[in-house]
Amino acid sequence: MLSLNQIGMDFNPNEVTYNYVSGLILSNITHLTDLNMRFSPGLNCIVGGRGTGKSTIVDAIKYGLNCGRDLSTCTLLDKTMKSDGQITTYFNFGISRHYKVEAKRDKKNLNFTYYNDDGEQQQPPEFKIDFII
């Protein structure tokens, strides 16, 4: 176990210094009731039986952070997201910068709007994420 002298007096174990997806809202996806999920900055697990929407949630996070605009490359979301469907993703850069990304369906594509604490952003940063499946 580390002592305060070894880690420094300013160490705060609750301070998050890395980037993470902090939440997800899905609406108008046929096989899921509208979802509002919050995630821990640590480890998150999505558990469920076959056909319960686990893969849809993972794909929605990827597409919700603009890792692709053309829904035809994601067969599952393309088939299940209604024409007025929306993915809202919350992304935190540590504890200092918080973003909300709204992805709204328009035929085969998603249109994105980005917000941070200052309001709508025209040139958002890149939202890098890793998944272990």
Side-chain angles (χ1 to χ4, degrees), residues 47-93:
V47 179
R50 290 177 57 105
T52 57
K54 300 178 303 293
S55 296
T56 304
I57 292 169
V58 171
D59 284 342
I61 292 169
K62 290 179 190 176
Y63 275 81
L65 290 175
N66 199 358
C67 295
R69 290 182 180 269
D70 182 2
L71 283 175
S72 65
T73 61
C74 181
T75 311
L76 186 60
L77 271 179
D78 189 30
K79 288 181 181 176
T80 60
M81 187 179 224
K82 297 178 185 176
S83 61
D84 58 346
Q86 181 170 324
I87 302 167
T88 304
T89 310
Y90 297 88
F91 190 89
N92 291 356
F93 289 93

Side-chain angles (χ1 to χ4, degrees), residues 6 11-13 24 33 36 39-40 44 53 57 67-68 71 77 80 82 102 113 116 125 131:
Q6 291 172 305
F11 174 74
N12 179 351
L24 178 70
T33 305
N36 186 339
F39 299 112
S40 162
N44 295 276
I57 292 169
C67 295
L71 283 175
L77 271 179
T80 60
K82 297 178 185 176
E102 289 182 350
T113 309
N116 70 7
F131 288 96

